[in-house]
Amino acid sequence: MGKFKVLKYNLRIKNPETRVFLKFLCHVAKNVYNNALYALRQQYFSDKTIPTYFNLNKFMKDSEDSKIMNSFITVCINREAHNAMSNFVHHKVFKMPKYLPKKGYFSLITEDGNVLRKLRVGNTIQFPLSNLVRTGKIKEKKYEDKEVQDFLDSGNKMEYFYIKIPKVIEDKEIKRLSIIPKFDCRYFEVSFTYVD
């Protein structure tokens, strides 16, 4: 097996509608992370344990924000929250993870090679919303989070966001893809972890 390597680049977004869509996804990702962290912390406070990663996913699949995001991305974000809390509980060397700011953002992550193959469309990787959003059924609901509600009311028709795979790694096995919001989503960094 080859070595794991990382390739990063700054994402240039010229289309304002695409920037708004990506900012929306990163905001919902923050909500998913905070909700998962809340569930983990509450169980820890009650009995000094945390649920397994699989039980966390079962619990989180009914949250409002998880129904907006594509399930592949939601599962990866739940894993990030679980890993953060797990480091605190099992290794006792870190502080308890804190919630992200209410108006903050979190990375969009997919870290399963099989999932990335399913999301691959030619030389791009597709970041979709959930079927509930794509069919328009989500608009029947009102959200407490103003940014989420504003986006859903805005009439933005985007259902997918595509990340171009750089030519140097087009033929490589991609293990993880992260879109990292920087400086309040003024720009984004794309990080590919691949096998060389």
Side-chain angles (χ1 to χ4, degrees), residues 93-144:
V93 292
F94 301 103
K95 292 181 180 177
M96 182 177 282
K98 295 186 177 180
Y99 298 112
L100 298 173
K102 187 173 184 176
K103 293 188 181 250
Y105 303 94
F106 191 71
S107 301
L108 302 173
I109 303 163
T110 57
E111 58 184 8
D112 181 339
N114 294 328
V115 169
L116 283 165
R117 279 191 287 283
K118 289 177 187 172
L119 295 176
R120 193 169 182 154
V121 179
N123 65 345
T124 62
I125 293 179
Q126 176 188 77
F127 274 81
L129 287 171
S130 70
N131 287 336
L132 201 61
V133 175
R134 290 195 304 264
T135 59
K137 293 180 182 171
I138 200 87
K139 295 191 177 184
E140 299 163 4
K141 197 166 181 12
K142 292 290 180 199
Y143 285 86
E144 288 180 31

Side-chain angles (χ1 to χ4, degrees), residues 23 77 91 108 118 165 168:
K23 189 174 180 179
I77 294 168
H91 302 297
L108 302 173
K118 289 177 187 172
I165 301 169
V168 294

Side-chain angles (χ1 to χ4, degrees), residues 31-183:
N31 290 349
V32 170
Y33 179 86
N34 280 351
N35 290 338
L37 193 56
Y38 176 80
L40 292 162
R41 287 171 60 122
Q42 291 309 303
Q43 182 163 333
Y44 179 76
F45 292 143
S46 73
D47 63 11
K48 299 292 183 218
T49 65
I50 58 172
T52 65
Y53 167 68
F54 298 105
N55 287 341
L56 176 65
N57 281 332
K58 284 182 195 173
F59 176 74
M60 292 302 299
K61 76 177 184 182
D62 292 329
S63 82
E64 287 183 344
D65 295 300
S66 295
K67 291 177 182 174
I68 295 172
M69 297 290 285
N70 181 278
S71 60
F72 295 140
I73 299 167
T74 302
V75 165
C76 292
I77 294 168
N78 288 341
R79 185 178 299 145
E80 292 291 313
H82 191 272
N83 287 345
M85 194 66 183
S86 196
N87 284 335
F88 169 74
V89 171
H90 299 301
H91 302 297
K92 302 286 186 195
V93 292
F94 301 103
K95 292 181 180 177
M96 182 177 282
K98 295 186 177 180
Y99 298 112
L100 298 173
K102 187 173 184 176
K103 293 188 181 250
Y105 303 94
F106 191 71
S107 301
L108 302 173
I109 303 163
T110 57
E111 58 184 8
D112 181 339
N114 294 328
V115 169
L116 283 165
R117 279 191 287 283
K118 289 177 187 172
L119 295 176
R120 193 169 182 154
V121 179
N123 65 345
T124 62
I125 293 179
Q126 176 188 77
F127 274 81
L129 287 171
S130 70
N131 287 336
L132 201 61
V133 175
R134 290 195 304 264
T135 59
K137 293 180 182 171
I138 200 87
K139 295 191 177 184
E140 299 163 4
K141 197 166 181 12
K142 292 290 180 199
Y143 285 86
E144 288 180 31
D145 188 324
K146 185 177 174 355
E147 282 194 49
V148 172
Q149 192 61 50
D150 287 350
F151 178 84
L152 294 173
D153 291 342
S154 74
N156 188 314
K157 301 287 186 211
M158 290 192 74
E159 298 175 352
Y160 303 96
F161 177 76
Y162 294 93
I163 294 292
K164 187 167 176 37
I165 301 169
K167 280 194 180 291
V168 294
I169 63 169
E170 273 184 357
D171 61 337
K172 309 285 186 199
E173 182 183 358
I174 299 170
K175 291 291 191 180
R176 178 181 169 113
L177 169 60
S178 302
I179 302 173
I180 305 151
K182 299 285 189 171
F183 300 104

